[in-house]
C-alpha cells in the first residue's frame, strides 16, 4: 500500500512539474469567422505640406514606407502597406498667416475655396502629392476629414472656437455652403482619379476647441449631435446631387465612451444616430455608412479599463443593429496610458508594444473592423517616448535623408497589421488551453488571427509582452486543406528587427506548430495552403 501511494504521488506531481515548460496551445478556429476587416491606415495631417514638398528621393522613400507592400531581395518589407490614408481638408488658416491665431505655422492649413468664392486646386500641394502616392501604391481606401469648416463660413472668421459653449463654429446660414464645399472637393478629386471612399465632416465634436487668438494649437470645432445631424443631412443631399459615391463617416468621437455613454451635447452618439427610433437617425440617408467612428484616446489606462470600454462599445453596437461596425479612426499615445504603470521614460520598443496591445484589444475586444493611427510623421525623438507618430522628423531638417527623418518602432508594430491583414479578410476565433483571462493576457501573450477566404491563407499576429523568450503552440482547426507555415516576421528592440524575416524552424506535429516568441516582441506568422 505504501508503494502504491508513492507511485500515485509521483504520477501526479512529476507531470505537473514538467508542464511548466509545456507551451500554451492557441487554437485558431479557421471556420469560425468574426468581423470582416475593412482597412488599417494612418493620417498625414500636420507636416504633410512640408513632407510632400521634400526633395524627390526623401519624399518618395516616405511614401514607399507608408504605402508599399513589396519586399526587397532579402525578404524585408519595403513599407508597412497601409490600406487607408486620411487626408485633411484645410480651413484656410495658412492663408491667414499669423492672424489665424494658430501658433505653429505647420498646423495652419490652406483651403481650396477662397473667400471670394473661387476654387484654387493648387492649394495643399504637399498633402495632395502624398494622396497621389497612396493611390499609386494601391491604397484601397482614401478618406477625407475636416477639423474646421472654411474660415469664411465660421462664426468668428477663425479656424477654431473662441467661445467655450461646445457648439459648432459654423454659421447657421452656412450649412448648405459647407456641404457643397465638401462635395465640390470630392468631385474635383474624383476627376483627378483620387476618389475619396469616405468623408468625415466633423472631428472630435465633444472638445470645445476654444482658445484665445494667438494661443490656438490647430484648426478645430465643437459640434452638438443636432448640428452633426444637420450637416450630415446637407452633405448627403450635396453628394447625391453631384451623383458622387463618396460615403459619409458621421461620428469621429473624441473618445470611445462618447459613442455609447458619456454625456454632453455630443454624447451617446450610437443611440442618437444609429437607433431607428431616434429623430436624428441617419441610417435612411443616402451616402451614409453603418461605420461608427471613435478615437481611442484616454481609454487605455490599465488593461481592465481598456478591455471594458471596448466590450461596452461592442455590446452597444450589437444592441442597435447587427450591421453596425466599430472603426477606431484615430489613436496615438496622447494620454499616459502607454506608460503602463511604470515611472519615467519609455523606450521606442515599449511604445511600439503598447501600440500593438491597443490594436489587438480594439480588434479582439471591440471587434474593430478598421484601425487608423495618428500621426504618420511629426518632429520628435526616435529612440524614446515616440508616442505621437510613426516617423520622427528631425527638427534640424537636414538635407541628408538619414537625418531628415527616422522610422520608429511604432511604424513596424503597426505594419504587422497593415501589411498582412488586408481589406476583406476576416478575423477568426482563437482559444487557449490555459485559464488566463483576456485581461491577464494583456501582460503576457496576446493573439489575433485572420483568414483570407479566397486564398485559404491565415495570418496570426502575436505579442509577447513579457521580458523573457517563450514558445507557444498553434493548432489550426477547421481548415479544409493542409496549411503550412510559410512566413515569420518579427519586430523586437534590436535595430535590425523591423518586421524582419525570421527562420521558420517549425513543422507541424499532429497538426500543431510550435513557435518561438522573443521577449518584448511582435510576431506575424503566415500560413498558406500546402501545394
Amino acid at each position: 500500500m505504501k508503494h502504491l501511494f508513492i507511485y500515485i504521488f509521483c504520477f501526479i506531481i512529476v507531470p505537473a512539474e514538467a508542464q511548466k515548460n509545456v507551451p500554451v496551445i492557441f487554437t485558431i478556429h479557421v471556420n469560425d469567422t468574426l468581423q470582416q476587416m475593412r482597412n488599417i491606415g494612418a493620417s498625414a495631417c500636420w507636416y504633410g505640406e512640408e513632407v510632400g514638398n521634400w526633395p524627390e528621393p526623401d519624399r518618395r522613400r516616405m511614401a514607399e514606407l507608408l504605402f508599399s507592400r513589396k519586399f526587397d531581395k532579402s525578404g524585408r518589407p519595403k513599407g508597412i502597406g497601409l490600406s487607408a490614408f486620411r487626408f485633411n481638408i484645410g480651413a484656410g488658416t495658412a492663408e491667414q498667416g499669423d492672424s489665424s491665431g494658430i501658433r505653429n505655422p505647420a498646423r495652419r492649413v490652406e483651403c481650396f475655396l477662397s473667400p471670394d468664392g473661387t476654387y484654387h486646386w493648387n492649394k495643399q500641394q504637399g498633402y495632395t502629392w502624398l494622396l497621389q502616392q497612396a493611390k499609386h501604391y494601391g491604397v484601397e481606401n482614401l478618406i477625407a476629414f475636416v477639423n474646421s469648416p472654411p474660415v469664411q463660413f465660421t462664426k468668428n472668421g477663425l479656424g477654431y472656437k473662441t467661445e467655450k459653449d461646445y457648439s459648432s463654429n459654423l454659421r447657421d446660414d452656412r450649412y448648405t455652403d459647407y456641404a457643397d464645399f465638401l462635395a465640390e472637393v470630392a468631385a474635383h478629386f474624383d476627376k483627378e482619379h483620387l476618389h475619396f471612399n469616405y468623408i468625415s465632416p466633423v472631428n472630435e465634436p465633444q472638445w470645445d476647441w476654444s482658445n484665445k487668438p494667438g494661443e490656438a494649437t490647430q484648426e478645430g470645432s465643437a459640434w452638438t449631435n443636432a448640428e452633426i445631424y444637420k450637416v450630415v443631412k446637407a452633405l448627403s443631399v450635396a453628394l447625391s446631387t453631384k451623383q458622387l459615391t463618396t460615403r459619409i463617416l458621421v461620428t469621429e468621437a473624441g473618445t470611445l465612451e462618447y459613442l455609447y455613454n458619456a454625456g454632453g451635447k455630443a454624447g451617446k452618439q450610437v443611440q442618437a444616430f444609429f437607433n431607428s427610433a431616434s429623430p436624428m437617425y441617419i441610417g435612411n440617408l443616402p451616402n451614409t455608412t453603418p461605420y461608427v467612428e471613435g478615437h481611442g484616446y484616454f481609454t487605455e489606462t490599465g488593461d481592465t479599463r481598456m478591455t471594458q470600454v471596448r466590450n461596452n462599445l461592442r455590446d452597444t453596437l450589437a444592441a442597435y443593429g447587427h450591421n453596425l461596425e466599430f472603426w477606431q479612426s484615430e489613436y496615438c499615445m496622447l494620454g499616459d496610458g502607454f506608460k503602463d504603470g511604470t515611472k519615467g521614460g519609455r523606450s521606442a520598443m515599449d511604445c511600439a508594444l503598447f501600440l500593438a496591445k491597443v490594436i489587438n484589444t480594439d480588434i479582439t475586444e471591440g471587434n474593430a473592423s478598421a484601425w487608423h493611427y495618428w500621426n504618420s510623421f511629426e518632429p520628435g525623438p526616435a529612440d524614446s517616448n515616440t508616442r505621437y507618430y510613426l516617423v520622427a522628423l528631425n527638427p534640424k531638417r537636414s538635407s541628408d535623408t538619414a537625418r531628415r527623418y527616422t522610422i520608429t518602432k511604432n511604424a513596424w508594430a503597426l505594419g504587422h497589421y497593415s501589411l498582412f491583414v488586408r481589406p476583406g479578410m476576416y478575423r477568426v476565433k482563437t482559444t487557449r488551453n490555459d485559464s488566463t483571462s483576456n485581461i491577464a493576457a494583456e501582460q503576457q501573450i496576446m493573439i489575433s488571427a485572420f483568414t483570407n477566404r479566397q486564398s485559404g491563407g491565415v495570418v496570426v499576429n502575436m505579442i509577447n509582452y513579457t521580458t523573457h523568450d517563450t514558445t507557444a503552440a498553434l493548432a489550426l482547426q477547421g481548415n479544409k486543406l493542409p496549411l503550412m507555415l510559410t512566413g515569420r516576421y518579427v519586430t523586437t528592440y534590436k535595430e535590425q528587427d523591423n518586421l524582419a524575416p525570421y527562420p521558420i524552424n517549425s513543422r507541424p506535429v499532429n497538426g500543431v506548430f510550435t513557435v518561438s516568441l522573443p521577449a518584448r516582441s511582435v510576431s506575424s506568422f503566415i500560413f498558406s495552403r500546402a501545394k
Side-chain angles (χ1 to χ4, degrees):
M1 190 71 176
K2 177 179 178 181
H3 295 294
L4 177 61
F5 175 79
I6 294 174
Y7 175 79
I8 294 174
F9 179 82
C10 293
F11 180 80
I12 295 173
I13 295 299
V14 173
E17 191 69 26
Q19 285 179 5
K20 290 183 178 180
N21 297 318
V22 175
V24 175
I25 300 175
F26 294 88
T27 301
I28 317 301
H29 302 268
V30 177
N31 291 333
D32 195 344
T33 56
L34 302 167
Q35 75 266 33
Q36 185 177 28
M37 303 304 297
R38 304 296 180 181
N39 54 73
I40 296 175
S43 301
C45 193
W46 323 127
Y47 311 97
E49 199 62 23
E50 174 188 335
V51 171
N53 285 293
W54 274 355
E56 196 73 10
D58 297 349
R59 66 176 182 168
R60 288 201 177 277
R61 173 56 187 138
M62 180 68 78
E64 181 181 53
L65 166 70
L66 295 175
F67 308 130
S68 178
R69 296 177 60 195
K70 294 184 178 180
F71 295 77
D72 64 20
K73 293 180 180 179
S74 69
R76 290 179 175 271
K78 293 183 177 181
I80 60 173
L82 299 179
S83 54
F85 185 63
R86 299 177 77 232
F87 176 92
N88 175 30
I89 299 175
T93 53
E95 289 89 342
Q96 292 179 321
D98 290 344
S99 63
S100 69
I102 296 176
R103 297 193 304 262
N104 186 346
R107 295 195 172 200
R108 306 167 188 165
V109 191
E110 294 177 327
C111 185
F112 296 116
L113 179 62
S114 297
D116 64 6
T118 59
Y119 284 87
H120 298 275
W121 300 113
N122 60 341
K123 300 295 182 69
Q124 294 194 242
Q125 288 188 359
Y127 289 104
T128 301
W129 184 87
L130 288 165
L131 195 67
Q132 292 167 339
Q133 290 302 299
K135 180 67 175 181
H136 169 74
Y137 279 98
V139 174
E140 292 91 339
N141 295 270
L142 302 182
I143 302 170
F145 73 100
V146 188
N147 288 310
S148 166
V151 293
Q152 60 267 37
F153 295 163
T154 63
K155 295 174 182 177
N156 57 11
L158 297 171
Y160 54 92
K161 294 274 293 183
T162 48
E163 184 179 3
K164 193 180 183 73
D165 60 2
Y166 294 91
S167 63
S168 175
N169 200 22
L170 179 63
R171 285 168 44 185
D172 291 339
D173 62 343
R174 290 293 195 172
Y175 276 79
T176 298
D177 292 333
Y178 178 42
D180 288 344
F181 161 71
L182 295 179
E184 188 65 32
V185 172
H188 165 75
F189 280 97
D190 266 5
K191 293 175 183 176
E192 298 296 314
H193 306 290
L194 296 170
H195 172 66
F196 287 121
N197 304 77
Y198 306 99
I199 190 165
S200 175
V202 305
N203 182 66
E204 297 185 341
Q206 295 83 13
W207 308 145
D208 64 273
W209 296 109
S210 63
N211 281 283
K212 296 178 180 179
E215 297 181 4
T217 58
Q218 67 167 82
E219 297 176 352
S221 174
W223 300 80
T224 67
N225 281 344
E227 290 166 338
I228 295 170
Y229 179 66
K230 186 176 178 179
V231 80
V232 168
K233 281 183 65 178
L235 181 55
S236 177
V237 170
L239 293 171
S240 297
T241 299
K242 290 184 178 293
Q243 297 182 320
L244 300 174
T245 59
T246 298
R247 301 171 70 193
I248 306 168
L249 298 171
V250 175
T251 53
E252 206 78 62
T255 75
L256 302 182
E257 289 169 303
Y258 281 113
L259 290 172
Y260 66 89
N261 186 38
K265 296 180 179 180
K268 295 187 176 181
Q269 293 193 297
V270 173
Q271 294 90 325
F273 299 125
F274 300 97
N275 179 1
S276 59
S278 168
M280 292 181 285
Y281 178 62
I282 56 90
N284 55 2
L285 297 177
N287 295 79
T288 56
T289 71
Y291 307 142
V292 182
E293 287 200 311
H295 300 175
Y297 301 126
F298 312 118
T299 60
E300 72 316 26
T301 304
D303 298 330
T304 298
R305 171 167 161 74
M306 179 159 55
T307 299
Q308 288 178 344
V309 166
R310 284 143 184 86
N311 288 170
N312 290 340
L313 176 56
R314 177 199 64 201
D315 295 343
T316 302
L317 294 185
Y320 288 98
H322 69 279
N323 65 328
L324 296 183
E325 297 182 21
F326 163 42
W327 281 27
Q328 197 297 124
S329 55
E330 189 181 305
Y331 177 78
C332 70
M333 286 157 271
L334 184 62
D336 287 338
F338 79 106
K339 294 180 180 179
D340 212 15
T342 64
K343 297 181 179 180
R346 302 288 277 163
S347 71
M349 191 61 209
D350 289 336
C351 292
L353 277 166
F354 190 81
L355 170 59
K357 175 160 76 168
V358 172
I359 297 171
N360 184 82
T361 306
D362 281 333
I363 291 175
T364 62
E365 298 292 338
N367 285 353
S369 59
W371 204 96
H372 305 151
Y373 192 76
W374 175 282
N375 197 357
S376 293
F377 34 70
E378 286 190 13
D383 56 352
S384 62
N385 281 4
T386 55
R387 55 198 294 187
Y388 303 123
Y389 41 80
L390 302 177
V391 180
L393 304 182
N394 188 295
K396 295 180 180 180
R397 300 293 186 269
S398 168
S399 60
D400 177 64
T401 300
R403 296 183 61 195
R404 185 180 291 277
Y405 64 88
T406 304
I407 305 168
T408 75
K409 292 289 183 179
N410 290 341
W412 303 116
L414 178 62
H416 282 273
Y417 299 86
S418 56
L419 186 61
F420 299 123
V421 183
R422 304 305 302 174
M425 293 177 70
Y426 285 82
R427 183 169 76 88
V428 298
K429 180 181 177 181
T430 62
T431 55
R432 52 191 301 160
N433 73 334
D434 64 358
S435 58
T436 303
S437 69
N438 291 353
I439 294 174
E442 292 184 358
Q443 294 295 326
Q444 301 176 29
I445 307 299
M446 291 163 269
I447 186 171
S448 57
F450 310 85
T451 182
N452 184 323
R453 284 183 171 179
Q454 291 183 336
S455 69
V458 173
V459 172
V460 178
N461 283 339
M462 303 188 75
I463 306 164
N464 181 4
Y465 214 68
T466 73
T467 57
H468 55 268
D469 297 345
T470 189
T471 58
L474 300 178
L476 279 72
Q477 184 181 93
N479 44 302
K480 295 180 180 179
L481 296 175
L483 291 172
M484 297 301 298
L485 182 56
T486 56
R488 177 188 176 207
Y489 298 86
V490 180
T491 298
T492 73
Y493 71 91
K494 296 178 181 178
E495 184 177 354
Q496 71 275 15
D497 279 358
N498 300 319
L499 267 175
Y502 262 44
I504 295 173
N505 296 335
S506 179
R507 295 292 181 269
V509 177
N510 296 324
V512 177
F513 296 82
T514 300
V515 297
S516 59
L517 304 171
R520 304 290 284 168
S521 68
V522 186
S523 298
S524 293
F525 299 95
I526 313 301
F527 292 88
S528 304
R529 281 182 175 173
K531 295 180 179 180

